[in-house]
Amino acid sequence: MASIDPLLENSRTALGAIADSAAQFIAARREAQVGGGASDAEVNARLQVYDFSHATPLRTLAAEVFELLGTHAVRSDHPRYFGLFNPPSLPAAIAGDLIAATVNPQLAVRSHAPAAVEIERKLLRTFGTRIGWAADEVSGAFTSGGSEANHTALLAALARRYPEWPEHGLRSITTRPAIYVSAQAHLAWIKIARSAGLGSDAVRLVSTRDGMRLGGQTLASFVATDAGYDPMLVVATAGTTAHGAIDDLSGIAAVARNLGAHLHVDAAWAGGAMLADEGQALLCGIEKADSVTIDPHKWLCVPMGAGMFLSRDWRPLETAFAVSTDYMPSASRKQRDPYIHSLQWSRRFIGLKLFIALANLGIDGYAEMIRRQLGLGRYLHSALLARGWQVLNESPLPLVCFAPDTTTPDRQDTVVRRIVDHVVATGVAWLSTVDLRGRLVIRACITSYETTQADVDLLLELLDEARTRASILAVGEPS
Amino acid sequence: MASIDPLLENSRTALGAIADSAAQFIAARREAQVGGGASDAEVNARLQVYDFSHATPLRTLAAEVFELLGTHAVRSDHPRYFGLFNPPSLPAAIAGDLIAATVNPQLAVRSHAPAAVEIERKLLRTFGTRIGWAADEVSGAFTSGGSEANHTALLAALARRYPEWPEHGLRSITTRPAIYVSAQAHLAWIKIARSAGLGSDAVRLVSTRDGMRLGGQTLASFVATDAGYDPMLVVATAGTTAHGAIDDLSGIAAVARNLGAHLHVDAAWAGGAMLADEGQALLCGIEKADSVTIDPHKWLCVPMGAGMFLSRDWRPLETAFAVSTDYMPSASRKQRDPYIHSLQWSRRFIGLKLFIALANLGIDGYAEMIRRQLGLGRYLHSALLARGWQVLNESPLPLVCFAPDTTTPDRQDTVVRRIVDHVVATGVAWLSTVDLRGRLVIRACITSYETTQADVDLLLELLDEARTRASILAVGEPS
């Protein structure tokens, strides 16, 4: 067999050309179909050829994979993808991720990668102070995403409240620890509670009055009548996935304080907007939190996975995560090595993509992007009203829930589903449905920094056309 | 303020040049100092300039960051880094990571990214069948690393054994669940047990007879006398961090079967070697496991973070992780969406870097790399013996633990520390110390696919020189 060295050298020298292809992929995404069309059989047939039985030049592979992924997928990087918070990656953030992959520092211990560790700390301080905390009280960790960050919040809360928990576990706790969270919060909390051994029934889902936003009063009343639980963690959501609601942060903070509970704000999506003053104003009250989740891979448009767990206190993290081992080459507690503050151990340099994007755009550049998206959300909202749609949520974030203004509410679900199917089938735009107070509504979210007013106008036209077709179809049908 | 669009366009077109810099960084790493020298103050001074108050061209930033990370770090990507398992990234794997960052598919639901999901499934099947399982029984998930994969194993084991656990948590379990694992296993198990609410004392650390490798008999005797626990998870390690020991997989499997416990094999490091037939032979018995951890970011040289949790049964994963939500656009259970089999929710396309590296090299190319490294390990072992060192471990993996063959064992720790400090201070090679049966020994591991016999020879010369100096210094000193 030939040596692999020439192959490795060939692949090394191909990196520049592949990054050029990446740049072209970005430039071309506006021209792509938003919703890819292939069947499962087609995808699997395409993959059949890769049996790893022989070497293949990297350039060939890269071209094939760009084509495969660009075609057989919902293109969440498209400017007319109005779906979930999976925005396109900023070029600078892609470059940051590329550098992290190339240098590949490991972020378990500080001594191996002091510059990398300090870069992440600087970012945590930057966001912690935007939240309103003092720079020297900010601690935390970069995570794979919001789910791990929220998971970390639960473990920190357990470590704070129950001194026996690290060593003896939940069996040492005589009360029944519970998490209070809006019924509209991300359901990752269910997984997290299971993973922590609390069980899904420890997640006390509080129904909101308007089906969207949790208020302090509602929470207080719920807790007061929810007998048998020990409210150790209260979670407020800043930007719910379904409706973009921002819970009453100050009201909930007051309830948490009265209960002596840890207050965590899940700002996975909306937290990124705090780089703009307008966004910061929307999250007023967040400074009262004990800990906060912000996902740079959501609003801040860095490649997945990048979450941040921000905390005002490093001690519970150390209680939960510090372990002594003779093969970790550092005085871990003194250095506050990352691995003793985080669920992960050896970890990717997640923060670099955010650092480079932030240094490239500056806070002002990010703020401009955020303001533009907030503005497009308001534009979409008004335009829908002007075109006779019912807007059903009241989010200040660029996420609008709406439905046709129909006199036959019992048909709403069918009509809404038809409208969305029609729009998605065009391949020109993508959006989805969501439940709002028991009815299906249309959900459109501005996710891309490349989305323009013309893109929103095109969506509006498609929606109007789909509404007309759906109404015609619906006439005379049984509901 | 100027619009950010020209800046974004400028950054997009810079990607090719930055990847060229990455290629140069790779070519130049052999010439770098392995251990970077800067003080914390120096690092922080360098970072001071980044206050995010203005935009900065991406090329400038990339050049600065390559320099910063290349200088102020232990260069674990260096061919003479003989430390922990943080190898340099293969160029093809870097390209895969770059494509994942650019396209940025989200791997929560299959419908959004069918090609990406199928690529990961194909990889899981490839490794599952190398383990010795039938292709159609392989399931699992890509993870941020071995820690998350091992964490997943514990949760799967809990889900299998205790039907009430998902909903009611550990309080529904009347016995005391315990994890049996070698005292030489990765201490991430302590964090994992804490995180699961079992507490660190649920990790029953079994001392090995030789201080390195856990045998089935030793485990059976330990469990028999360890009253009060419910042995629900037995972990065997294939390639311990400290000594490269491979536990007695078949013996431990028999014990686990007798106990009715879930058997997990943590092959985070050595599992990658299974791509070579020689490596596969070393892990004989692994096919008896219920689940296995393999970290592609270790031996398979893809950028961090990339772990694999491999399982013969998808049902416990679904029991632990499935949650229904109205905003996830798919029939999740029918499609086996990734987010219902994994701790993470929206997730990076972690598998792509492994897919492209494997398709680029072919299994044979990887096997050649692995054989070369196994051979260098044997060479290092023999050469140390020939040069009068004591080799103290017996790993078939390329990790050698050794010490000077001294007649004054009470001085061993001091001498070993001096030798390692001396070698590291040269900046020519990096290695570390580790505990072996209560004494400090030197640990050298072949981690890079670029390491040559000449690199090992250079290490040997440095070691001999350091031994001479340390012996001279030690003469006449109090021990």
Side-chain angles (χ1 to χ4, degrees):
Chain A
M1 187 204 319
S3 158
I4 55 170
D5 293 336
L7 188 67
L8 294 173
E9 180 57 12
N10 181 284
S11 298
R12 185 186 69 78
T13 57
L15 286 173
I18 291 165
D20 282 334
S21 303
Q24 283 157 27
F25 186 92
I26 293 169
R29 60 190 168 200
R30 178 171 278 287
E31 310 313 320
Q33 293 268 308
V34 191
S39 69
D40 292 0
E42 217 174 319
V43 168
N44 284 313
R46 286 287 304 275
L47 293 179
Q48 205 85 49
V49 299
Y50 302 101
D51 62 359
F52 314 127
S53 65
H54 57 277
T56 309
L58 182 56
R59 282 173 201 241
T60 310
L61 285 169
E64 288 169 3
V65 168
F66 268 123
E67 196 275 326
L68 189 64
L69 297 179
T71 311
H72 302 307
V74 175
R75 288 290 297 271
S76 54
D77 62 331
H78 195 287
R80 285 188 302 276
Y81 174 79
F82 296 98
L84 299 162
F85 317 130
N86 301 119
S89 306
L90 287 163
I94 293 171
D97 221 7
L98 168 65
I99 296 171
T102 303
V103 181
N104 207 30
Q106 67 100 318
L107 270 78
V109 294
R110 190 180 184 289
S111 61
H112 258 53
V117 169
E118 288 305 325
I119 282 174
E120 289 198 343
R121 286 188 183 157
K122 190 179 185 88
L123 290 168
L124 292 173
R125 278 196 304 275
T126 300
F127 282 84
T129 50
R130 295 294 294 184
I131 286 170
W133 299 340
D136 61 1
E137 67 181 349
V138 181
S139 66
F142 276 81
T143 66
S144 56
S147 201
E148 185 188 331
N150 286 342
H151 196 162
T152 305
L154 172 58
L155 300 175
L158 286 162
R160 272 181 83 188
R161 193 177 186 99
Y162 309 108
E164 304 283 298
W165 168 84
E167 192 176 347
H168 303 299
L170 296 176
R171 62 168 34 240
S172 65
I173 302 173
T174 50
T175 59
R176 194 164 173 190
I179 305 163
Y180 287 84
V181 60
S182 160
Q184 295 302 319
H186 200 290
L187 289 184
W189 288 106
I190 303 285
K191 274 166 84 156
I192 291 166
R194 278 195 204 131
S195 301
L198 295 172
S200 54
D201 63 6
V203 183
R204 312 305 297 161
L205 294 172
V206 187
S207 293
T208 59
R209 285 212 186 136
D210 63 358
M212 292 178 276
R213 176 176 184 267
L214 182 62
Q217 278 297 333
T218 309
L219 174 64
S221 313
F222 185 97
V223 176
T225 58
D226 195 44
Y229 292 94
D230 179 8
M232 45 79 65
L233 174 62
V234 168
V235 178
T237 305
T240 59
T241 305
H243 316 121
I246 299 173
D247 289 344
D248 170 15
L249 303 182
S250 292
I252 291 172
V255 177
R257 196 168 43 243
N258 285 342
L259 294 169
H262 183 106
L263 174 65
H264 181 71
V265 175
D266 179 359
W269 175 39
M274 295 186 76
L275 288 183
D277 294 347
E278 295 85 335
Q280 209 173 16
L282 295 176
L283 269 59
C284 179
I286 195 171
E287 70 283 358
K288 301 187 174 91
D290 295 299
S291 58
V292 172
T293 290
I294 298 176
D295 276 1
H297 72 201
K298 292 200 170 82
W299 208 325
L300 301 179
C301 305
V302 313
M304 282 189 268
M308 279 192 285
F309 173 75
L310 293 141
S311 169
R312 296 177 89 154
D313 190 357
W314 53 269
R315 286 166 304 178
L317 295 177
E318 199 166 301
T319 305
F321 300 127
V323 181
S324 297
T325 145
D326 59 271
Y327 55 75
M328 294 305 281
S330 85
S332 286
R333 283 175 195 263
K334 193 165 145 256
Q335 297 266 348
R336 298 206 188 150
D337 279 335
Y339 87 99
I340 69 168
H341 287 179
S342 146
L343 267 162
Q344 295 188 51
W345 198 285
S346 289
R347 177 166 64 70
R348 183 186 181 88
F349 186 10
I350 297 170
L352 185 59
K353 47 195 166 191
L354 178 60
F355 177 77
I356 292 196
L358 196 51
N360 180 228
L361 289 174
I363 288 181
D364 288 346
Y366 258 124
E368 181 191 330
M369 177 190 92
I370 291 156
R371 275 196 304 271
R372 191 196 280 182
Q373 293 175 306
L374 289 169
L376 282 176
R378 288 189 296 267
Y379 174 75
L380 173 62
H381 185 131
S382 327
L384 283 166
L385 290 175
R387 287 163 183 250
W389 296 81
Q390 264 190 304
V391 172
L392 297 156
N393 70 332
E394 281 182 61
S395 176
L397 304 171
L399 191 169
V400 188
C401 295
F402 56 100
D405 191 2
T406 168
T407 48
T408 52
D410 51 336
R411 283 191 210 279
Q412 184 173 312
D413 288 12
T414 314
V415 172
V416 157
R417 201 169 278 120
R418 276 191 189 146
I419 291 171
V420 167
D421 286 349
H422 175 76
V423 172
V424 168
T426 63
V428 175
W430 198 95
L431 77 184
S432 56
T433 62
V434 79
D435 177 88
L436 203 166
R437 289 190 292 267
R439 289 208 174 276
L440 214 60
V441 301
I442 307 172
R443 175 191 181 282
C445 182
I446 310 292
T447 66
S448 171
Y449 58 85
E450 291 180 336
T451 305
T452 61
Q453 190 170 318
D455 290 315
V456 175
D457 287 335
L458 194 44
L459 173 68
L460 289 161
E461 277 167 43
L462 290 171
L463 282 165
D464 282 356
E465 185 190 306
R467 177 175 53 181
T468 308
R469 288 172 54 120
S471 316
I472 294 167
L473 281 170
V475 168
E477 281 182 25
S479 63
Chain B
M1 187 203 320
S3 158
I4 55 170
D5 294 336
L7 189 66
L8 294 173
E9 180 57 13
N10 181 285
S11 297
R12 185 185 69 77
T13 57
L15 286 174
I18 291 166
D20 282 334
S21 304
Q24 283 157 26
F25 186 91
I26 293 169
R29 59 190 168 201
R30 178 171 279 286
E31 310 313 320
Q33 294 268 308
V34 191
S39 69
D40 291 0
E42 217 173 318
V43 168
N44 284 313
R46 286 286 305 273
L47 293 179
Q48 205 84 50
V49 298
Y50 301 101
D51 62 359
F52 314 127
S53 65
H54 57 277
T56 309
L58 182 55
R59 282 173 201 241
T60 311
L61 285 169
E64 288 169 2
V65 168
F66 268 123
E67 197 275 326
L68 189 64
L69 297 179
T71 311
H72 302 308
V74 175
R75 289 289 297 271
S76 54
D77 62 331
H78 195 287
R80 285 188 302 276
Y81 174 79
F82 296 98
L84 298 162
F85 318 130
N86 301 118
S89 307
L90 287 163
I94 294 171
D97 220 8
L98 168 65
I99 296 171
T102 303
V103 181
N104 207 30
Q106 67 101 319
L107 270 78
V109 293
R110 190 180 184 288
S111 61
H112 258 53
V117 170
E118 288 305 325
I119 282 174
E120 290 198 344
R121 286 187 183 157
K122 189 179 186 90
L123 291 167
L124 292 173
R125 279 197 303 274
T126 299
F127 282 83
T129 51
R130 296 294 294 185
I131 286 170
W133 299 339
D136 62 1
E137 67 182 349
V138 181
S139 66
F142 276 81
T143 66
S144 56
S147 201
E148 186 189 331
N150 286 342
H151 196 162
T152 305
L154 172 58
L155 300 176
L158 286 162
R160 272 181 83 189
R161 193 178 187 98
Y162 309 108
E164 303 283 299
W165 169 83
E167 191 175 347
H168 302 300
L170 297 175
R171 61 168 33 240
S172 65
I173 302 173
T174 50
T175 60
R176 195 164 173 190
I179 305 163
Y180 287 84
V181 60
S182 159
Q184 295 302 320
H186 200 290
L187 289 184
W189 287 107
I190 303 284
K191 274 165 85 156
I192 290 166
R194 277 195 205 131
S195 301
L198 295 172
S200 54
D201 63 6
V203 182
R204 313 305 297 160
L205 294 172
V206 187
S207 293
T208 59
R209 284 210 188 137
D210 63 358
M212 292 179 275
R213 176 176 185 267
L214 182 62
Q217 278 297 333
T218 309
L219 174 63
S221 313
F222 185 97
V223 176
T225 58
D226 196 43
Y229 292 94
D230 178 8
M232 45 80 65
L233 174 62
V234 168
V235 178
T237 305
T240 59
T241 305
H243 316 121
I246 298 173
D247 289 344
D248 170 14
L249 303 182
S250 292
I252 291 172
V255 177
R257 196 169 42 243
N258 285 342
L259 294 169
H262 182 106
L263 174 65
H264 180 72
V265 175
D266 179 0
W269 175 39
M274 295 186 76
L275 289 182
D277 294 347
E278 295 85 335
Q280 209 173 15
L282 295 175
L283 269 58
C284 180
I286 195 172
E287 70 283 358
K288 301 187 175 91
D290 295 299
S291 59
V292 172
T293 290
I294 298 176
D295 275 1
H297 72 202
K298 293 200 170 82
W299 209 324
L300 301 179
C301 304
V302 312
M304 282 188 268
M308 279 191 285
F309 173 75
L310 293 141
S311 169
R312 296 177 89 155
D313 190 357
W314 53 269
R315 286 166 304 179
L317 295 177
E318 199 166 301
T319 306
F321 300 128
V323 181
S324 297
T325 144
D326 59 272
Y327 55 75
M328 295 305 281
S330 85
S332 286
R333 283 175 195 263
K334 193 165 145 256
Q335 297 265 348
R336 298 206 187 150
D337 279 335
Y339 87 99
I340 69 169
H341 286 178
S342 146
L343 267 162
Q344 295 188 51
W345 197 285
S346 289
R347 177 167 65 70
R348 183 186 181 88
F349 186 10
I350 297 170
L352 185 59
K353 47 195 167 191
L354 178 60
F355 177 77
I356 292 196
L358 196 51
N360 180 227
L361 289 174
I363 288 181
D364 288 347
Y366 258 124
E368 180 191 330
M369 177 191 93
I370 291 157
R371 274 197 304 272
R372 190 195 280 182
Q373 293 175 306
L374 289 169
L376 282 177
R378 288 189 296 267
Y379 175 76
L380 173 62
H381 185 131
S382 327
L384 284 166
L385 290 176
R387 287 164 182 251
W389 296 81
Q390 266 191 303
V391 172
L392 297 155
N393 70 333
E394 282 181 60
S395 176
L397 304 172
L399 190 169
V400 188
C401 295
F402 56 100
D405 191 1
T406 168
T407 48
T408 52
D410 52 335
R411 282 192 211 278
Q412 184 173 312
D413 289 12
T414 314
V415 172
V416 157
R417 201 169 279 119
R418 276 191 189 146
I419 291 171
V420 167
D421 286 349
H422 175 76
V423 172
V424 168
T426 64
V428 175
W430 199 95
L431 77 184
S432 56
T433 62
V434 79
D435 177 89
L436 203 166
R437 290 189 291 268
R439 288 209 175 276
L440 214 60
V441 301
I442 308 172
R443 175 192 181 281
C445 182
I446 310 292
T447 66
S448 171
Y449 58 85
E450 292 180 335
T451 305
T452 62
Q453 190 170 317
D455 290 315
V456 175
D457 286 335
L458 194 44
L459 173 67
L460 289 161
E461 278 167 43
L462 290 171
L463 282 165
D464 282 356
E465 185 190 306
R467 177 176 53 181
T468 308
R469 289 172 54 120
S471 317
I472 294 167
L473 281 170
V475 168
E477 281 183 24
S479 64

